[in-house]
Amino acid sequence: MAVERTLSIIKPDAVAKNVIGKIISRFEDNGLRIAAARMKLLSQKEAEGFYAVHRERPFFNDLVKFMISGPVMIMVLEGENAISQNRNLMGATDPKKADKGTIRADFAESIDANAVHGSDGPDTAATEIAYFFPALDVYTR
Ligand code: GDP
């Protein structure tokens, strides 16, 4: 198994619900470590840049508006198969379709306010981590 890094964002809905700690516990209890963390209110430009791959999607404007509606908790998670492990813990994009016991099933309300973001592959993980964190601020333990 490979030690990987992935980018996780606790989105504004979950931050507003005061469940940052509960979500982080899911990661820590399942073998992932926090290698970097920062709370931030994203600007419109930052959110648009982060979600640039979705620019042509009909939900792009709603997604950006939601992501800048309040502060988010941005983290690098590290561990064995961190990318797929995080995706499994998150559950399906639509919380109504997410498996029982996943973060989205337990903490999210709708497909647009769905509690967490997680990189979907090694290339996006590297790009997304570099978007928010200089290499020197990511700590392997
Ligand atoms: P993820 O990797 O599971 O986060 O899903 P995607 O990469 O497909 O989409 C990115 C984000 O866009 C999702 O987490 C949702 O917040 C949002 N999104 C995706 N599909 C829809 C949709 O049909 N409607 C709305 N409003 N938002 C969506």
Side-chain angles (χ1 to χ4, degrees), residues 58-73:
F59 57 82
F60 180 72
N61 287 341
D62 287 342
L63 174 60
V64 168
K65 213 167 147 190
F66 166 64
M67 288 301 288
I68 66 173
S69 65
V72 295
M73 187 72 185

Side-chain angles (χ1 to χ4, degrees), residues 32-62:
L32 297 174
R33 295 178 297 277
I34 295 174
R38 118 183 234 222
M39 196 172 208
K40 186 170 165 55
L41 181 59
L42 297 177
S43 69
Q44 179 153 341
K45 271 211 165 107
E46 287 166 338
E48 285 173 353
F50 182 72
Y51 279 118
V53 289
H54 294 309
R55 193 172 289 279
E56 302 306 324
R57 303 276 197 98
F59 57 82
F60 180 72
N61 287 341
D62 287 342

Side-chain angles (χ1 to χ4, degrees), residues 91-123:
T93 309
D94 182 351
K96 290 181 194 75
K97 296 182 184 153
D99 288 343
K100 215 167 157 246
T102 59
I103 293 168
R104 282 168 166 165
D106 290 346
F107 300 114
E109 306 303 330
S110 64
I111 195 162
D112 31 17
N114 63 359
V116 278
H117 166 85
S119 310
D120 62 5
D123 293 345

